[in-house]
């Protein structure tokens, strides 16, 4: 008994004709298993004559369409192994203007319909939507357990071995060129930075002892500088903190570095200027601690704590006053929710204060709290009751502080345990 | 019952048919992180309640164990290296799978509008008219450009490449047609395997 299966999409109809293998029985739902296919027809919208062929055509169509769909999604082309091109009956090419040319070759003699003296070629141009319908018809056929259960699609990513060779050399050289130029720019920038005179501390017997015990492996390296701020991170108990002046932002090379930001550049910089990054980190780390201390002990009201921990009122005021404001109302709405969720997640709501705590909070485009100010005295006294200090995020060096647009919000912790977040300047009207 | 509950808790069944690719590292490569976030950006530009819908879908698909709340979602998406404050933290395979499933689920719900916009774009192109001639299409493109500019770091070389409306529109249309392929029967598997093209051993 001949079985016909049809998979219909708005722009594509795939019709299979075949029969079931005598040994197999009908499935539970009464649909017989189509295991042998005799004829396949693929009707595409806008073309009267279907593409047709036998099982070989169907398998080639499924393979080629599948591969092309993956190329389309990833943008990475899947080259065929040598000699495979001539074997496939079906081929698809990308054309200008989101069109795709499907070509089907019918080998001589097949179907009995083609001229006996050679191959026939048929080609159809498809829009992306039509191509998708073809892919979907095939996917539905493959997903149908009662139709050709042996046909499956190879949905695996292509190996990187095939990709490297495809990129033109010029394209591969671009990231390296950007990296090298940014390295040169860094070198020039560093040239103008005055060398910071570290007072070399007297050797501390306690520290010497620790070094010998091998607790600070960096110190054991004869090549490392006498004071390696990074080692302060690794061994906090050692009392060799540089004087507070060293935290001066003007002399920190990382701050003064040009904002070269290509990825390749950043990576190259990381590799080639190893000493810069630990310094920045340790400095920021210390600064954060000092921010915590100063805010806990400070008595003056409306004392700001900025993200980088340099607790200067002027700087925080400048950040809040001068940084461009995020004006997109959708984004402000989203940030309001992100900010409320973040604070709510970290707040245990156990309130010991009588008055509402009000803060003015600066948030970057992705919801990181970059700084905040106290609005009332209760807010200052009870800062430890709120999670704000924990949530302040150190700025990445990508964008200089004050240049990146920020959103400003009024955050109120009420004494009955409710968090209210609202845009400081109201909702923008765009 | 209890046993099956605890099993689904560790790996949601919906992610089971997305096989782990053979990567050199356990975390997702750069292109994967970028592409997933951009596809979600396109969905947000298509659907007015897009960012809410993302969270709702995560709950519907019982992916709360991977995407706990808005902040987790935000953190996962911030692994896109193009973002203004891109996170250095890695994107794990379960997180990426969750994003794939959510993307395809939402794309399927938006099938009609995706097809309409693609066909409208094609028709305008054939007549050599600009996208502004179709209200819904220009609305989508405008929103996509606004989202992209607000969230991506303009100092990154990869973002600088999209410095004009035309180039951003092209990206928006490319993402839209990629979303179309996510709507299909094998959408999640197709998207998943495409994310690692050229990245596996």
């Amino acid at each position: 008994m001949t079985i016909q299966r049809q998979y219909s999409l708005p722009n594509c109809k795939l019709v299979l004709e075949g029969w079931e293998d005598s040994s197999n029985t009908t499935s539970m739902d009464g649909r017989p298993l189509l295991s042998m296919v005799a004829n396949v027809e693929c009707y595409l919208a806008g073309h009267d004559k279907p593409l047709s062929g036998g099982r070989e055509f169907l398998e080639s169509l499924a393979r080629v369409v599948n591969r092309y769909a993956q190329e389309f999604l990833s943008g990475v082309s899947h080259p065929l192994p040598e000699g495979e091109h001539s074997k496939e009956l079906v081929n698809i090419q990308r054309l200008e203007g989101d069109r795709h040319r499907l070509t089907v070759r019918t080998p001589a003699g097949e179907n009995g319909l083609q001229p006996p003296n050679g191959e026939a070629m048929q080609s159809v141009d498809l829009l992306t939507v039509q191509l998708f319908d073809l892919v979907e018809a095939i996917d539905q056929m493959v997903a149908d357990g009662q139709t050709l259960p042996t046909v499956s699609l190879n949905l695996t990513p292509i190996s990187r071995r095939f990709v490297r060779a495809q990129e033109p050399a010029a394209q591969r050289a671009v990231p390296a060129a950007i990296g090298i130029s940014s390295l040169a720019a860094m070198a020039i920038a560093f040239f103008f930075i005055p060398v910071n005179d570290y007072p070399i501390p007297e050797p501390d017997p306690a520290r010497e002892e620790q070094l010998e015990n091998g607790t600070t492996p960096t110190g054991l390296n004869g090549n490392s500088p006498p004071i390696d701020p990074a080692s302060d991170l690794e061994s906090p108990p050692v009392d060799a903190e540089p004087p507070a002046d060293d935290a001066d932002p003007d002399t920190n090379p990382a701050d003064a570095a040009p904002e070269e930001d290509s990825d390749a550049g950043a990576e190259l910089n990381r590799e080639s200027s190893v000493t810069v990054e630990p310094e920045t980190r340790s400095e920021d780390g210390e600064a954060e601690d000092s921010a915590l201390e100063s805010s806990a002990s400070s008595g003056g009201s409306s004392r700001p704590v900025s993200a980088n921990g340099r607790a200067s009122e002027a700087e925080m005021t400048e950040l809040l006053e001068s940084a461009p404001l995020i004006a997109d109302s959708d984004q402000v709405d989203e940030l309001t929710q992100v900010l409320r969720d973040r604070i709510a997640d970290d707040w245990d709501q156990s309130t010991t204060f009588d008055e509402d705590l009000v803060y003015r909070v600066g948030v970057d485009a992705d919801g990181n709290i970059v700084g905040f100010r106290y609005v009332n005295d209760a807010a200052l006294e009870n800062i430890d009751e709120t999670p704000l200090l924990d949530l302040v995020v150190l700025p990445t060096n990508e964008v200089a502080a004050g240049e990146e647009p920020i959103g400003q919000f009024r955050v109120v912790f009420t004494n009955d345990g409710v968090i209210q977040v609202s845009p400081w300047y109201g909702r923008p009207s765009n | 019952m209890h046993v099956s509950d605890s099993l689904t808790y560790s790996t949601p069944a919906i992610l089971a048919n997305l096989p782990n690719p053979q990567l050199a590292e356990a975390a997702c490569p750069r292109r994967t992180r970028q592409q997933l976030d951009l596809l979600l950006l396109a969905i947000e530009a298509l659907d007015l309640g897009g960012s809410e819908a993302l969270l709702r879908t995560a709950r519907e698909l019982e992916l709360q164990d991977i995407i706990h709340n808005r902040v987790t979602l935000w953190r996962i998406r911030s692994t896109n290296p193009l973002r203004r404050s891109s996170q250095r933290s890695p994107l794990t395979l379960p997180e990426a799978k969750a994003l794939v499933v959510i993307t395809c689920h939402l794309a399927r719900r938006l099938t009609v509008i995706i097809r309409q916009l693609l066909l409208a774009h094609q028709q305008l192109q054939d007549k050599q008219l600009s996208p502004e001639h179709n209200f819904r299409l220009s609305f989508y493109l405008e929103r996509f450009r606004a989202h992209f500019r607000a969230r991506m770091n303009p100092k990154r070389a990869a973002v600088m490449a999209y410095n004009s409306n035309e180039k951003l529109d092209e990206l928006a249309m490319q993402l839209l047609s990629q979303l179309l392929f996510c709507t299909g029967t094998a959408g999640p598997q197709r998207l998943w395997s495409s994310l690692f093209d050229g990245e596996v051993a």
Side-chain angles (χ1 to χ4, degrees):
Chain A
M1 183 183 78
T2 316
I3 308 166
Q4 196 183 62
R5 289 279 150 78
Q6 193 169 308
Y7 303 91
S8 291
L9 273 294
N11 294 301
C12 174
K13 188 169 78 177
L14 187 66
V15 183
L16 274 69
E17 272 176 7
W19 57 89
E20 76 184 294
D21 207 339
S22 55
S23 62
N24 285 304
T25 50
T26 304
S27 78
M28 303 287 273
D29 60 4
R31 288 175 79 222
L33 181 79
L34 190 156
S35 56
M36 319 272 272
V37 65
N39 189 34
V40 179
E41 287 184 335
C42 180
Y43 295 85
L44 292 158
H47 301 270
D48 298 334
K49 201 173 159 222
L51 302 172
S52 61
R55 179 160 184 146
E56 202 190 341
F57 160 71
L58 180 68
E59 287 183 354
S60 179
L61 182 70
R63 230 178 0 248
V64 169
V65 165
N66 179 47
R67 190 168 56 228
Y68 189 82
Q70 181 145 338
E71 283 180 4
F72 186 80
L73 270 173
S74 70
V76 177
S77 80
H78 287 215
L80 277 173
E82 286 294 313
E84 288 283 316
H85 259 300
S86 51
K87 284 189 203 157
E88 292 289 7
L89 295 179
V90 180
N91 188 26
I92 308 184
Q93 272 176 294
R94 184 93 186 237
L95 303 179
E96 287 286 303
D98 295 330
R99 282 188 162 78
H100 318 269
R101 177 163 293 165
L102 178 69
T103 317
V104 181
R105 186 164 64 78
T106 312
E110 193 170 291
N111 262 358
L113 302 170
Q114 309 302 333
N117 58 341
E119 295 185 342
M121 295 287 271
Q122 220 179 335
S123 76
V124 179
D125 288 355
L126 300 173
L127 301 177
T128 301
V129 176
Q130 294 174 320
L131 172 72
F132 168 72
D133 284 347
L134 174 61
V135 172
E136 181 58 14
I138 292 171
D139 279 352
Q140 289 186 4
M141 187 267 291
V142 172
D144 183 349
Q146 290 303 105
T147 305
L148 298 177
T150 53
V151 175
S152 66
L153 293 178
N154 174 28
L155 279 174
T156 48
I158 187 177
S159 160
R160 78 166 75 87
R161 281 176 292 140
F162 296 104
V163 181
R164 289 283 172 253
Q166 288 172 25
E167 280 182 36
Q171 204 177 321
R172 272 178 284 161
V174 169
I178 294 171
I180 291 164
S181 62
S182 69
L183 185 66
M186 290 271 287
I188 294 166
F190 281 129
F191 183 77
F192 292 106
I193 296 169
V195 176
N196 196 4
D197 290 329
Y198 279 99
I200 300 174
E202 293 298 310
D204 181 352
R207 185 188 168 101
E208 294 281 270
E209 212 175 282
Q210 256 185 326
L211 289 181
E212 274 167 27
N213 291 340
T215 45
T216 52
T218 47
L220 288 172
N221 185 348
N223 296 331
S224 67
I227 297 179
D228 181 4
S231 67
D232 286 345
L233 268 188
E234 288 158 28
S235 57
V238 176
D239 275 338
E241 281 177 17
D245 293 358
D246 291 342
D248 186 351
D250 296 333
T251 54
N252 181 3
D255 281 0
E259 297 291 327
E260 273 293 339
D261 219 344
S262 86
D263 296 325
E267 261 163 46
L268 206 63
N269 291 342
R270 258 204 307 287
E271 281 165 18
S272 54
S273 55
V274 190
T275 51
V276 174
E277 209 175 33
E279 261 176 10
T280 341
R281 282 216 190 112
S282 79
E283 193 248 65
D284 284 349
E286 275 165 31
E288 191 181 35
D289 289 345
S290 74
L292 282 163
E293 282 162 26
S294 73
S295 64
S297 62
S298 120
S301 72
S302 87
R303 187 181 168 94
V305 175
S306 72
N308 49 19
R310 292 173 206 118
S312 89
E313 177 144 9
E315 209 176 286
M316 193 60 222
T317 309
E318 200 188 319
L319 177 67
L320 289 178
E321 302 296 333
S322 74
L325 208 61
I326 291 174
D328 182 84
S329 59
D330 288 338
Q331 203 186 358
V332 169
D333 285 349
E334 193 185 351
L335 285 175
T336 309
Q337 287 174 344
V338 167
L339 183 61
R340 182 163 42 221
D341 287 357
R342 305 194 101 191
I343 294 173
D345 267 15
D346 279 20
W347 194 35
D348 58 6
Q349 294 181 320
S350 59
T351 55
T352 57
F353 45 89
D354 304 322
E355 202 182 330
D356 292 352
L357 314 181
V358 186
Y359 301 89
R360 179 175 177 180
V361 177
V363 171
D364 73 9
D366 279 321
N368 295 312
I369 299 180
V370 293
F372 61 88
R373 294 183 57 156
Y374 313 100
V375 175
N376 58 359
D377 287 347
L380 170 65
E381 285 157 20
N382 295 294
I383 179 66
D384 289 339
E385 300 271 325
T386 76
L388 286 177
L389 278 172
D390 299 331
L391 288 173
V392 172
V393 173
L394 299 174
T396 52
N397 258 343
E398 287 167 359
V399 182
E403 281 180 28
E404 189 175 7
I406 61 169
Q408 296 194 28
F409 297 90
R410 178 190 179 88
V411 176
V412 182
F413 297 84
T414 68
N415 58 2
D416 47 3
V418 176
I419 299 165
Q420 298 166 349
V421 179
S422 53
W424 186 261
Y425 293 107
R427 289 190 73 249
S429 54
N430 66 330
Chain B
M1 285 310 282
H2 187 76
V3 174
S4 71
D5 277 352
S6 68
L7 278 178
T8 50
Y9 189 86
S10 54
T11 43
I14 197 164
L15 307 183
N17 52 7
L18 303 179
N20 283 353
Q22 299 211 314
L23 295 170
E25 296 167 19
C28 292
R30 177 194 170 82
R31 189 172 62 79
T32 310
R33 293 179 268 136
Q34 184 178 322
Q35 176 71 359
L36 280 172
D37 185 40
L38 289 179
L39 284 171
L40 289 175
L41 203 68
I43 286 180
E44 284 178 275
L46 276 179
D47 182 9
L48 288 178
S51 72
E52 270 309 313
L54 293 181
L55 285 168
R56 212 170 36 243
T57 311
R59 283 196 296 275
E60 281 168 17
L61 300 176
E62 300 188 342
L63 295 169
Q64 305 99 312
D65 292 335
I66 297 169
I67 296 173
H68 314 282
N69 52 31
R70 188 182 298 277
V71 181
T72 330
L73 178 65
W74 163 81
R75 185 193 63 73
I76 292 176
R77 292 187 63 185
S78 297
T79 60
N80 174 4
L82 304 191
R83 285 221 168 212
R84 282 181 188 270
S85 52
S86 158
Q87 304 275 300
R88 290 262 183 247
S89 60
L91 177 68
T92 65
L93 289 176
E95 286 166 349
K97 287 179 191 178
L99 291 189
V100 163
V101 173
I102 292 172
T103 302
C104 292
H105 187 87
L106 287 171
R108 202 168 293 171
R109 287 216 315 239
L110 295 166
T111 303
V112 175
I113 176 77
I114 292 174
R115 294 182 74 109
Q116 282 172 351
L117 292 185
L118 284 171
L119 286 171
H121 183 250
Q122 192 72 51
Q123 283 162 1
L124 291 175
Q125 252 189 353
D126 291 349
K127 293 180 194 156
Q128 297 188 327
L129 292 171
S130 66
E132 282 83 58
H133 289 82
N134 181 299
F135 172 72
R136 293 209 68 167
L137 184 62
S138 69
F139 184 68
Y140 162 70
L141 294 174
E142 214 167 272
R143 276 174 61 92
F144 181 82
R145 291 196 300 261
H147 282 327
F148 187 92
R149 288 184 178 135
R151 298 184 198 172
M152 303 303 153
N153 184 349
K155 296 195 169 186
R156 294 222 164 263
V159 175
M160 277 182 219
Y162 300 108
N163 58 2
S164 68
N165 281 1
E166 290 71 33
K167 286 174 187 163
L168 271 179
D169 286 356
E170 210 174 293
L171 175 66
M173 292 314 299
Q174 186 193 328
L175 290 166
L176 198 62
S177 50
Q178 288 168 339
L179 280 179
L180 176 67
F181 282 79
C182 296
T183 63
T185 308
Q189 288 87 340
R190 286 199 180 282
L191 174 60
W192 178 246
S193 93
S194 79
L195 289 172
F196 300 97
D197 255 359
E199 309 284 352
V200 295

